[in-house]
Short mmCIF file of all heavy atoms in Angstrom, two decimals:
data_model
loop_
_atom_site.label_atom_id
_atom_site.label_comp_id
_atom_site.label_asym_id
_atom_site.label_seq_id
_atom_site.Cartn_x
_atom_site.Cartn_y
_atom_site.Cartn_z
N GLY A 220 -34.48 12.10 6.48
CA GLY A 220 -35.14 12.40 5.18
C GLY A 220 -34.28 12.29 3.98
O GLY A 220 -34.29 13.14 3.09
N LEU A 221 -33.45 11.25 3.92
CA LEU A 221 -32.46 11.07 2.88
C LEU A 221 -32.88 10.02 1.84
O LEU A 221 -33.54 9.05 2.21
CB LEU A 221 -31.11 10.67 3.50
CG LEU A 221 -30.45 11.64 4.47
CD1 LEU A 221 -29.28 10.97 5.20
CD2 LEU A 221 -29.96 12.89 3.75
N GLN A 222 -32.44 10.21 0.63
CA GLN A 222 -32.54 9.15 -0.35
C GLN A 222 -31.28 8.28 -0.25
O GLN A 222 -30.26 8.66 0.25
CB GLN A 222 -32.65 9.75 -1.77
CG GLN A 222 -33.88 10.64 -1.96
CD GLN A 222 -35.13 9.86 -1.80
OE1 GLN A 222 -35.34 8.78 -2.34
NE2 GLN A 222 -36.06 10.44 -0.98
N ALA A 223 -31.39 7.04 -0.81
CA ALA A 223 -30.30 6.11 -0.66
C ALA A 223 -28.93 6.65 -1.24
O ALA A 223 -27.92 6.44 -0.63
CB ALA A 223 -30.64 4.79 -1.33
N ASP A 224 -29.04 7.37 -2.37
CA ASP A 224 -27.83 7.83 -2.96
C ASP A 224 -27.26 9.09 -2.37
O ASP A 224 -26.27 9.58 -2.81
CB ASP A 224 -27.99 8.01 -4.49
CG ASP A 224 -29.06 9.06 -4.82
OD1 ASP A 224 -29.69 9.64 -3.89
OD2 ASP A 224 -29.31 9.32 -6.01
N GLU A 225 -27.90 9.55 -1.26
CA GLU A 225 -27.41 10.70 -0.55
C GLU A 225 -26.62 10.32 0.71
O GLU A 225 -26.20 11.17 1.45
CB GLU A 225 -28.59 11.62 -0.15
CG GLU A 225 -29.29 12.28 -1.31
CD GLU A 225 -30.48 13.08 -0.93
OE1 GLU A 225 -31.22 12.65 -0.02
OE2 GLU A 225 -30.69 14.17 -1.52
N ILE A 226 -26.44 9.02 0.90
CA ILE A 226 -25.76 8.58 2.10
C ILE A 226 -24.56 7.68 1.71
O ILE A 226 -24.69 6.85 0.74
CB ILE A 226 -26.70 7.82 3.08
CG1 ILE A 226 -26.02 7.54 4.41
CG2 ILE A 226 -27.26 6.56 2.45
CD1 ILE A 226 -27.01 7.14 5.48
N ALA A 227 -23.44 7.85 2.37
CA ALA A 227 -22.27 6.93 2.19
C ALA A 227 -22.06 6.16 3.41
O ALA A 227 -22.20 6.68 4.55
CB ALA A 227 -21.02 7.79 1.79
N MET A 228 -21.72 4.91 3.25
CA MET A 228 -21.38 4.04 4.37
C MET A 228 -19.92 3.72 4.33
O MET A 228 -19.43 3.12 3.38
CB MET A 228 -22.24 2.73 4.32
CG MET A 228 -21.85 1.72 5.41
SD MET A 228 -22.30 2.30 7.06
CE MET A 228 -20.90 1.70 8.03
N CYS A 229 -19.16 4.20 5.35
CA CYS A 229 -17.75 3.98 5.43
C CYS A 229 -17.40 2.91 6.46
O CYS A 229 -17.82 3.04 7.63
CB CYS A 229 -16.98 5.26 5.81
SG CYS A 229 -17.00 6.57 4.56
N GLY A 230 -16.69 1.91 6.07
CA GLY A 230 -16.28 0.88 7.04
C GLY A 230 -15.12 0.09 6.52
O GLY A 230 -14.71 0.16 5.35
N ASP A 231 -14.61 -0.79 7.40
CA ASP A 231 -13.37 -1.56 7.04
C ASP A 231 -13.66 -2.96 6.64
O ASP A 231 -12.71 -3.75 6.49
CB ASP A 231 -12.43 -1.54 8.25
CG ASP A 231 -12.94 -2.31 9.43
OD1 ASP A 231 -14.11 -2.06 9.85
OD2 ASP A 231 -12.22 -3.15 9.99
N ARG A 232 -14.89 -3.32 6.38
CA ARG A 232 -15.24 -4.71 6.06
C ARG A 232 -16.13 -4.72 4.81
O ARG A 232 -17.13 -4.00 4.76
CB ARG A 232 -15.98 -5.39 7.19
CG ARG A 232 -15.08 -5.67 8.42
CD ARG A 232 -15.85 -6.18 9.56
NE ARG A 232 -14.95 -6.63 10.60
CZ ARG A 232 -15.38 -7.09 11.76
NH1 ARG A 232 -16.70 -7.17 11.99
NH2 ARG A 232 -14.56 -7.45 12.67
N ILE A 233 -15.78 -5.60 3.86
CA ILE A 233 -16.55 -5.77 2.69
C ILE A 233 -17.85 -6.48 2.98
O ILE A 233 -18.95 -6.09 2.50
CB ILE A 233 -15.73 -6.53 1.58
CG1 ILE A 233 -14.55 -5.74 1.14
CG2 ILE A 233 -16.63 -6.88 0.41
CD1 ILE A 233 -13.62 -6.49 0.20
N TYR A 234 -17.80 -7.54 3.79
CA TYR A 234 -18.92 -8.41 3.97
C TYR A 234 -19.99 -7.85 4.94
O TYR A 234 -21.13 -8.40 5.08
CB TYR A 234 -18.51 -9.80 4.41
CG TYR A 234 -17.85 -9.94 5.78
CD1 TYR A 234 -18.64 -10.25 6.90
CD2 TYR A 234 -16.50 -9.74 5.95
CE1 TYR A 234 -18.03 -10.40 8.16
CE2 TYR A 234 -15.88 -9.84 7.18
CZ TYR A 234 -16.66 -10.17 8.31
OH TYR A 234 -16.04 -10.27 9.56
N THR A 235 -19.71 -6.76 5.62
CA THR A 235 -20.67 -6.08 6.46
C THR A 235 -20.95 -4.69 6.01
O THR A 235 -22.04 -4.34 5.55
CB THR A 235 -20.24 -6.12 7.95
OG1 THR A 235 -18.95 -5.45 8.07
CG2 THR A 235 -20.14 -7.51 8.50
N ASP A 236 -19.96 -3.83 6.09
CA ASP A 236 -20.15 -2.38 5.78
C ASP A 236 -20.50 -2.14 4.30
O ASP A 236 -21.53 -1.50 4.01
CB ASP A 236 -18.88 -1.57 6.13
CG ASP A 236 -18.50 -1.73 7.58
OD1 ASP A 236 -19.37 -1.47 8.45
OD2 ASP A 236 -17.37 -2.15 7.89
N VAL A 237 -19.66 -2.61 3.38
CA VAL A 237 -19.89 -2.40 1.96
C VAL A 237 -21.15 -3.16 1.52
O VAL A 237 -21.96 -2.68 0.72
CB VAL A 237 -18.67 -2.82 1.18
CG1 VAL A 237 -18.94 -2.71 -0.35
CG2 VAL A 237 -17.48 -1.96 1.54
N ALA A 238 -21.33 -4.38 2.04
CA ALA A 238 -22.50 -5.16 1.68
C ALA A 238 -23.77 -4.49 2.13
O ALA A 238 -24.79 -4.47 1.43
CB ALA A 238 -22.41 -6.61 2.25
#
Side-chain angles (χ1 to χ4, degrees):
L221 299 167
Q222 299 300 311
D224 61 359
E225 293 176 321
I226 189 166
M228 176 67 219
C229 291
D231 67 310
R232 291 173 171 176
I233 295 173
Y234 66 95
T235 56
D236 302 306
V237 176

